[in-house]
Amino acid sequence: MSRTTRTRLRLGLGASAFLLAAGLVPAPAHAEDVTDYAITVDPTARGAEIDKTMYGVFFEDINRAADGGLYAELVQNRSFEYTTDDNKSYTPLTAWTVTGTAQVVDDSGRLDDRNRDYLALSAGSAVTNSGYNTGIRVEDGKKYDFSVWARAEGRTTLTVSLADAGGTLATARRVAVRKNGWARYQATFTATRTSSTGRLTVAAPDAAALDMVSLFPRDTYKHEPNGLRKDLAEKIAALHPGFVRFPGGCLVNTGSMQDYSAASGYQRKRSYQWKDTIGPVETRATNANFWGYNQSYGLGYYEYFRFAEDIGAMPLPVVPALVTGCGQNKAVDDDALLKRHIQDTLDLIEFANGPVTSEWGRKRAEMGHPKPFHLTHIEVGNEENLPTEFFARFTRFRAAIQAAYPYMRVISNAGPDDSGTTFDTAWQLNRDAKVDMVDEHYYNSPQWFLQNNDRYDSYDRSGPKVFLGEYASGGNTFENGLAEAAYMTGLERNADVVKLASYAPLFANEDYVQWRPDMVWFNNHASWGSADYEVQKLFMNNVGDRVVPSTVTGTPSLLAPISGAVGLSTWNTSAAYDDVKVTDADGNTLLSDDFSGDAAQWTHTGTGSWTVQDGQYVETSDTAENTMVSAGDPSWHDYDLHVKATKKSGKEGFLVAFGVKDTGTYYWWNIGGWNNTQTAVEQAVDGGKSTLIAKPGSVQTGRTYDVDIKVRGRQVTLSLDGQEWGSFTDDKPAEPFRQVVTRDRKTGDLIVKVVNAQSSAARTAIDLGGAEVSRKAKVTTLAAAPDAVNTETATAVAPVTSTFTGVADRFTYTFPANSVRFGGIGIMLPGGWGGARRAAAHALRRPSWRPGWR
């Protein structure tokens, strides 16, 4: 191919795909004699069937993904419900500025018992809302619907205006308020210019009470009022996801399991419970979001179901199992409360599927959807770290659900990690009980994803199926997308085991971030997909119906010994270290420090504060994270590390590092991590961490521990107080070249998906097994530098498609460095050609989920 052609093909890092009716392009003749890899395809063999729901999305209200994000409401704290329960900095007037006199009131004059607060505005006073991010976003010529619940002792007229620092953004509106109690009043603005720094002001000449002050863009996704922000919803829709998992996540299995009522004292820090989130928005409960802000529940279960329906996806709700997780780790021992939650789950299924003559089906119809939502899957619990306690409760949920609704698939989980004691225990319980499907979650480094493409090759084909509900590789560069693409070829190859998979989290508002990385980023006026988003989109739009067996030769791998300096660190803990000694395999001393003098041998690269005190090296902050100090030579290998460690105060234990290359690449033994509940070895590569071995464990404050780490080649043995704690061998190669082939039933095309996650091109011999193939092909490519990222103003990673000729039964093709490519190759099948028909159109047309899918 020409130099120009190569440039066009390399546009997408890690995601270059030959699309339907697309073909691979032969390399120049001189490259055909020698190849780096060989791909052999057997088009006559039948591999695993791939469900239409294979890939989906997971929506959790994290990073302000709901309020201030997908939920299109422009007014922040519209109901004056913010409290210090949500965030220590919050007040009921957060995001509001008062001119004159106003007071937030919680008394019997409220709008609704579940909407506790309202604003008492004095005569001649006004309140102004600052919205989210830089302010309220309006666009010239577009309409915005204002509403407010108000009451006044006598008739009065509110003046409602939109403005920014530059002046008026729309003609002000006057809203006449009648007396005799609460009523909802509405007005419409038409923006006269565009601004992202708008403010909404409500002024009252006479005393008035206000609640539910709202401003919605008229142009929302498919539905209004109470609609979804259009650009964010469209980005999800463009993925054509097979399912939508919601609402969490840690929102589901943290906090109180009580309801929001007088009987429970209107508890604010509660688990996400679906009945709080339906009905008129002014009567829905409010809650403290686990991630440190308030959630209004304006975006609730009804809206989630409706959105899934709109985009042709299967709804997949998650309900609490009454075992908290995400660091809380407590089993709720209240049988009456458990029975109530089980009944709530049965009511949820009736709400989704029941006839309008049923209690909850009628409530769905009253909200505007008389037809059922056809719910078939439901998940109980999320990342519970107490597998035995969780499973005792899960089995009661499952028994009740299947007795009432035998068609429902009830999904369990395997805890918060990809391995370890909790994971193993949970999986054994699930296997023994013949659970239908188990949800796995893990967030690891790109290297881990390149090393573990074969993870599901050895899973029991007759055991529970896998739902990979949350995963990501620790960043949003193209390198991350490339590693995830390589891993996804293994998910597809094992589609008979892995039935569902979703990257997580989905959204992040750039000004309110609690978690990185995230698939889609946004602010109040723009949104953009990350490199990971482009990879997910490429896979979701080109899944295929069945795996076509294929093989590929591997990359020769030479693994050097684990090498690096040593380090000490803490995480939300003050700790003291002493008697550090490193010796080589022959017993020669490489480092010895008893801190009787200074700490000159150590380099501080992390946070926190280190000082020598009474012959110990002490990190004094118990709130700083990753306080690393290191010493020694990065070339050290085959050594023994000894250190004495003592926790002084704080939430966790201590961290002893080895194989330290730099601030982002090292191993450490995390003793008493995860709020002092677990001990594990973690590996960091370029800042992304993976857990290599983990067990339950805690550290006692004030007790001195002897920590010993023995490194020999790629083998590491760890001992605590003279007793071997565990060992591991880090010898799995990070294979950079991965592929999978699937077939699309409608077109008959083979979809060849190849990932080349290395800095050099890969000359590849391709054997299509004697099939007669179409010579015309379309290639879709994602290619960029490994460190490329997409931003609001620049899209460095984006798909490019081109059409080529020259596909043959056997040919050689050179895959560019750092690329993922999908190619749809038309092959001769009984009944004629499948490959040359409307490839691009088909790629954008995913079959919608059908009621009763199993």
Side-chain angles (χ1 to χ4, degrees):
M1 74 185 82
S2 69
R3 184 180 300 273
T4 301
T5 298
R6 285 182 184 273
T7 301
R8 294 169 67 192
L9 276 173
R10 293 187 55 179
L11 199 78
L13 170 89
S16 173
F18 300 98
L19 281 174
L20 305 164
L24 300 170
V25 181
H30 68 269
E32 294 185 8
D33 296 331
V34 180
T35 58
D36 300 313
Y37 300 93
I39 296 173
T40 303
V41 182
D42 184 355
T44 64
R46 290 171 61 86
E49 185 174 350
I50 306 174
D51 293 336
K52 299 302 181 187
T53 51
M54 172 75 181
Y55 295 122
V57 294
F58 165 46
F59 182 93
E60 179 175 10
D61 188 359
I62 185 174
N63 310 312
R64 283 226 180 261
D67 294 332
L70 183 62
Y71 186 50
E73 174 65 78
L74 298 173
V75 175
Q76 184 179 175
N77 190 18
R78 66 182 177 186
S79 195
F80 310 102
E81 296 289 339
Y82 280 24
T83 76
T84 53
D85 284 337
D86 308 322
N87 188 293
K88 290 181 179 179
S89 67
Y90 281 2
T91 74
L93 283 171
T94 293
W96 293 95
T97 301
V98 177
T99 303
T101 305
Q103 180 182 4
V104 176
V105 181
D106 175 4
D107 65 15
S108 60
R110 64 179 64 88
L111 173 61
D112 185 85
D113 281 344
R114 290 157 66 84
N115 188 345
R116 309 288 295 168
D117 292 346
Y118 64 95
L119 184 72
L121 195 60
S122 299
S125 299
V127 286
T128 299
N129 190 267
S130 59
Y132 298 94
N133 301 91
T134 56
I136 291 173
R137 167 70 173 183
V138 296
E139 295 182 49
D140 186 21
K142 291 194 174 181
K143 294 184 181 298
Y144 297 85
D145 293 322
F146 168 83
S147 66
V148 63
W149 282 81
R151 72 164 192 236
E153 293 302 320
R155 293 180 180 272
T156 191
T157 300
L158 305 176
T159 299
V160 188
S161 57
L162 270 172
D164 63 8
T168 300
L169 292 172
T171 302
R173 292 288 181 259
R174 292 172 62 82
V175 177
V177 177
R178 304 180 298 275
K179 59 181 180 179
N180 298 327
W182 289 102
R184 184 171 183 262
Y185 302 94
Q186 302 176 71
T188 298
F189 291 97
T190 301
T192 54
R193 58 187 177 88
T194 296
S195 175
S196 296
T197 59
R199 301 290 188 268
L200 176 74
T201 298
V202 181
D206 307 296
L210 307 179
D211 205 347
M212 296 295 292
V213 183
S214 173
L215 187 70
F216 264 85
R218 177 73 59 83
D219 188 19
T220 56
Y221 185 76
K222 291 189 181 288
H223 302 280
E224 56 88 18
N226 208 50
L228 304 181
R229 179 169 150 176
K230 194 170 185 179
D231 62 323
L232 297 183
E234 287 178 341
K235 280 187 169 55
I236 304 176
L239 295 169
H240 297 97
F243 65 88
V244 178
R245 178 179 183 250
F246 63 90
C250 289
L251 301 187
V252 169
N253 70 338
T254 55
S256 168
M257 298 294 165
Q258 299 290 339
D259 61 2
Y260 192 60
S261 67
S264 65
Y266 293 103
Q267 296 187 38
R268 288 293 293 267
K269 293 185 176 182
R270 309 183 316 284
S271 63
Y272 196 111
Q273 299 175 47
W274 78 272
K275 288 181 180 178
D276 286 343
T277 76
I278 65 167
V281 291
E282 67 273 11
T283 67
R284 298 184 189 182
T286 187
N287 203 4
N289 184 295
F290 173 82
W291 298 107
Y293 52 90
N294 177 271
Q295 51 188 346
S296 71
Y297 288 145
L299 175 58
Y301 257 73
Y302 176 76
E303 288 75 24
Y304 284 125
F305 277 127
R306 190 176 61 183
F307 180 58
E309 181 181 69
D310 287 341
I311 62 176
M314 178 180 76
L316 204 166
V318 186
V319 299
L322 273 71
V323 177
T324 59
C326 300
Q328 296 183 359
N329 303 335
K330 179 181 178 182
V332 179
D333 189 14
D334 184 332
D335 194 61
L337 188 59
L338 176 62
K339 289 178 179 177
R340 194 268 287 173
H341 275 267
I342 291 172
Q343 185 58 52
D344 281 354
T345 303
L346 298 176
D347 293 343
L348 170 60
I349 299 169
E350 184 183 303
F351 176 78
N353 295 348
V356 296
T357 54
S358 67
E359 177 185 1
W360 293 99
R362 182 171 63 255
K363 291 183 184 295
R364 181 193 68 240
E366 290 170 351
M367 294 185 71
H369 201 285
K371 293 183 179 180
F373 285 116
H374 303 294
L375 179 66
T376 59
H377 291 57
I378 195 163
E379 183 171 355
V380 177
N382 171 76
E383 292 188 9
E384 280 71 29
N385 223 345
L386 302 172
T388 303
E389 293 86 344
F390 159 74
F391 207 74
R393 290 154 179 80
F394 169 83
T395 53
R396 291 181 62 178
F397 275 88
R398 183 176 69 154
I401 293 169
Q402 293 187 335
Y405 303 99
Y407 61 86
M408 289 297 299
R409 304 186 75 174
V410 185
I411 301 171
S412 180
N413 75 81
D417 302 304
D418 62 85
S419 60
T421 303
T422 296
F423 179 89
D424 293 340
T425 301
W427 256 106
Q428 190 60 53
L429 290 167
N430 284 306
R431 278 192 293 268
D432 291 347
K434 295 181 170 52
V435 168
D436 192 46
M437 190 177 295
V438 178
D439 189 1
E440 294 187 355
H441 295 177
Y442 36 83
Y443 297 91
N444 291 321
S445 67
Q447 176 167 303
W448 185 94
F449 283 94
L450 293 177
Q451 289 177 319
N452 287 279
N453 177 274
D454 63 348
R455 176 180 176 88
Y456 296 107
D457 290 359
S458 59
Y459 269 49
D460 182 0
R461 285 14 226 179
S462 62
K465 304 305 180 185
V466 172
F467 173 19
L468 180 51
E470 298 183 31
Y471 71 98
S473 68
N476 279 144
T477 68
F478 194 46
E479 178 184 12
N480 298 106
L482 189 60
E484 289 152 7
Y487 193 71
M488 291 169 80
T489 66
L491 300 182
E492 290 192 10
R493 185 176 64 252
N494 289 285
D496 57 328
V497 169
V498 183
K499 308 305 288 185
L500 306 168
S502 50
Y503 178 101
L506 177 57
F507 282 130
N509 185 322
E510 65 175 354
D511 293 330
Y512 309 93
V513 180
Q514 293 86 41
W515 185 283
R516 297 172 187 267
D518 305 283
M519 196 195 302
V520 176
W521 290 79
F522 66 93
N523 50 39
N524 66 354
H525 61 275
S527 59
W528 56 98
S530 65
D532 315 73
Y533 172 85
E534 295 298 342
V535 167
Q536 293 291 324
K537 184 178 179 181
L538 189 61
F539 273 83
M540 288 193 202
N541 281 283
N542 300 280
V543 180
D545 301 290
R546 185 176 290 278
V547 175
V548 178
S550 61
T551 58
V552 63
T553 54
T555 304
S557 178
L558 296 175
L559 290 174
I562 292 174
S563 62
V566 298
L568 309 170
S569 190
T570 60
W571 198 288
N572 289 328
T573 305
S574 173
Y577 295 94
D578 200 0
D579 295 338
V580 179
K581 188 171 184 179
V582 182
T583 57
D584 66 18
D586 296 323
N588 300 309
T589 299
L590 301 175
L591 171 72
S592 181
D593 202 335
D594 63 3
F595 303 107
S596 57
D598 56 26
Q601 298 184 81
W602 298 84
T603 300
H604 184 193
T605 57
T607 63
S609 179
W610 289 84
T611 183
V612 175
Q613 298 179 4
D614 301 323
Q616 295 180 314
Y617 201 18
V618 181
E619 198 289 306
T620 58
S621 171
D622 61 8
T623 59
E625 299 179 348
N626 194 3
T627 64
M628 180 85 82
V629 292
S630 60
D633 191 327
S635 66
W636 283 352
H637 61 87
D638 295 296
Y639 57 75
D640 296 283
L641 166 62
H642 171 80
V643 62
K644 291 183 179 294
T646 307
K647 175 181 176 178
K648 298 176 73 68
S649 64
K651 296 181 179 179
E652 303 205 351
F654 27 81
L655 300 154
V656 180
F658 57 98
V660 179
K661 292 293 190 181
D662 52 48
T663 57
T665 302
Y666 53 84
Y667 300 81
W668 68 18
W669 192 6
N670 187 346
I671 304 172
W674 293 270
N675 286 327
N676 207 17
T677 63
Q678 185 168 287
T679 295
V681 176
E682 297 178 281
Q683 180 184 20
V685 178
D686 296 330
K689 285 204 293 288
S690 303
T691 299
L692 302 183
I693 180 174
K695 300 178 183 180
S698 61
V699 168
Q700 297 177 20
T701 301
R703 174 184 166 188
T704 298
Y705 293 81
D706 284 296
V707 179
D708 289 279
I709 301 173
K710 180 179 180 179
V711 181
R712 293 293 185 273
R714 307 296 298 182
Q715 172 81 27
V716 178
T717 304
L718 308 109
S719 298
L720 199 61
D721 289 337
Q723 299 294 316
E724 183 174 322
W725 174 86
S727 64
F728 68 92
T729 303
D730 181 23
D731 61 356
K732 292 191 74 173
E735 173 59 67
F737 191 84
R738 298 292 188 183
Q739 60 81 39
V740 69
V741 181
T742 63
R743 172 172 287 154
D744 182 84
R745 185 178 295 115
K746 286 188 176 180
T747 65
D749 291 339
L750 296 182
I751 311 173
V752 181
K753 312 174 187 186
V754 178
V755 181
N756 183 26
Q758 57 190 331
S759 59
S760 59
R763 295 163 298 169
T764 306
I766 299 172
D767 184 344
L768 298 178
E772 188 174 350
V773 298
S774 169
R775 293 185 176 275
K776 190 174 184 180
K778 181 186 290 183
V779 174
T780 296
T781 303
L782 291 174
D787 60 354
V789 295
N790 289 347
T791 67
E792 178 183 351
T793 57
T795 306
V797 182
V800 168
T801 60
S802 301
T803 301
F804 302 94
T805 58
V807 179
D809 169 42
R810 296 180 181 178
F811 60 99
T812 300
Y813 182 80
T814 298
F815 291 91
N818 300 320
S819 69
V820 182
R821 293 195 162 165
F822 285 26
I825 303 175
I827 65 173
M828 181 66 79
L829 296 170
W833 286 102
R837 301 197 305 263
R838 306 293 186 272
H842 177 78
L844 296 175
R845 186 177 66 249
R846 286 286 308 280
S848 61
W849 173 78
R850 295 185 298 274
W853 182 91
R854 289 288 293 169

